[in-house]
Amino acid sequence: WDITQSPPVSLHTLTGHTGDVMSLAVAGDRVYSGSVDRTVRVWDVTQSPPLLHTWTGHTGSVLALAVA
């Protein structure tokens, strides 16, 4: 988001999840998103396309994320 604009303007739209995104974590240029589609996706907002990884195998919705 560019919050210097009024109203704020979206700079990037990350698409790929097939369900609602329930959790988000940011570390530098990386964004981690967790979804009810039972995946975690790793994005690098400086790259095109931005999707780096899709982690599967969760047995339920990904409701929380933390990165260090």
Side-chain angles (χ1 to χ4, degrees), residues 22-23 34-36 60-65:
M22 303 301 291
S23 53
S35 171
V36 298
S61 299
V62 181
L63 302 177
L65 290 169

Side-chain angles (χ1 to χ4, degrees), residues 18-57:
T18 59
D20 293 339
V21 172
M22 303 301 291
S23 53
L24 198 68
V26 178
D29 293 330
R30 299 268 170 102
V31 176
Y32 302 79
S33 56
S35 171
V36 298
D37 67 8
R38 301 185 310 236
T39 66
V40 173
R41 294 182 186 253
V42 183
W43 315 84
D44 184 330
V45 296
T46 66
Q47 293 188 17
S48 181
L51 182 61
L52 296 177
H53 305 287
T54 300
W55 294 330
T56 60

